[in-house]
Amino acid sequence: MFDRERPSFEDSNNVTVKRCFYAYEFAADHVKGKDTADIGCADGYGTTYLADYSRSTVGVDYSESTIEEARKKHGTKKNLSFRSGKVPPIPLADESVDVLTAFQFIEHIHSRPAFMRDVKRVLKPGGMFICTTPNIKMSIARNPFHVHEYTFDEMKTEASKIFDHVELMGLQGNEKVNKYYEENSKWAKRILRIDPLGFHKILPASWLVKPYNLLTSLMRKNLMEQNNDTLSINSKDFFLTKENLDHTWDIYLVAKK
């Protein structure tokens, strides 16, 4: 399958990694002493962090080979386990977890409302769902790994049909972060000049994976060379806000059953 967008920990990807890891740090306060699940866990780099705080944590990913890698890396933690399975359905029992996280995952699947309904099924009464996903209004070009990207209004509408309480916040960055992404945007727009008719928006996603990966890698390496802040940016350079949401990088959904 061509939908495997996995964490990459090269220096040039530092900003992306820290942006993604912020979600796990945010979730840490909510999972303390609780039974938790992390959907789309990849190799478990963030899932194992949640297990430092939770009573139990299970990571779920559709790739059995990725799950085996996660087990090898993090198998020493007694309160941490991993399961493979294509989601939905989530391979967990009804009302079995207090907190379920899904970070940069929902944009990769077709059955998004079905996934949210299944999240509600596995949550205990009063349980919490923490979901992050890119804000489409800040996306410059199509990501071939993403099936669908949300606006804040769309996410609110969809989640409110399923959950009793819905809160939305946006992930923003400080001046260093926003300068980096401004340069990122300029780089991407230069590349898009070779596609003035926007064919990248309509071609099969599988055709775009190799050029997308190549150009993204080149872009980030170039930005690292040109921007001295690239390697110094960390998760503390990001923060959540409820203001000017359309101009924030990621949507943060906190929903309760």
Side-chain angles (χ1 to χ4, degrees), residues 210-246:
K210 287 185 178 180
Y212 177 87
N213 283 339
L214 174 62
L215 291 172
T216 299
S217 178
L218 289 174
M219 176 182 68
R220 291 177 180 171
K221 288 177 181 178
N222 180 261
L223 288 176
M224 181 177 66
E225 294 171 357
Q226 300 298 321
N227 187 326
N228 294 330
D229 290 327
T230 301
L231 296 181
S232 68
I233 290 173
N234 60 50
S235 57
K236 292 181 176 58
D237 293 307
F238 293 90
F239 60 93
L240 291 176
T241 181
K242 293 185 179 181
E243 299 179 357
N244 299 316
L245 291 178
D246 285 345

Side-chain angles (χ1 to χ4, degrees), residues 135-138 151-153 243-249:
N135 171 18
I136 192 173
K137 291 193 175 182
M138 297 296 280
T151 65
F152 277 87
D153 288 342
E243 299 179 357
N244 299 316
L245 291 178
D246 285 345
H247 296 283
T248 57
W249 302 110

Side-chain angles (χ1 to χ4, degrees), residues 165-191:
H165 174 80
V166 169
E167 179 182 14
L168 290 174
M169 295 172 284
L171 185 72
Q172 186 53 275
N174 63 14
E175 185 176 347
K176 287 196 303 182
V177 169
N178 292 336
K179 179 183 177 184
Y180 174 88
Y181 280 115
E182 182 181 349
E183 293 170 354
N184 180 304
S185 175
K186 290 178 181 178
W187 211 100
K189 288 176 179 177
R190 286 198 297 269
I191 293 298

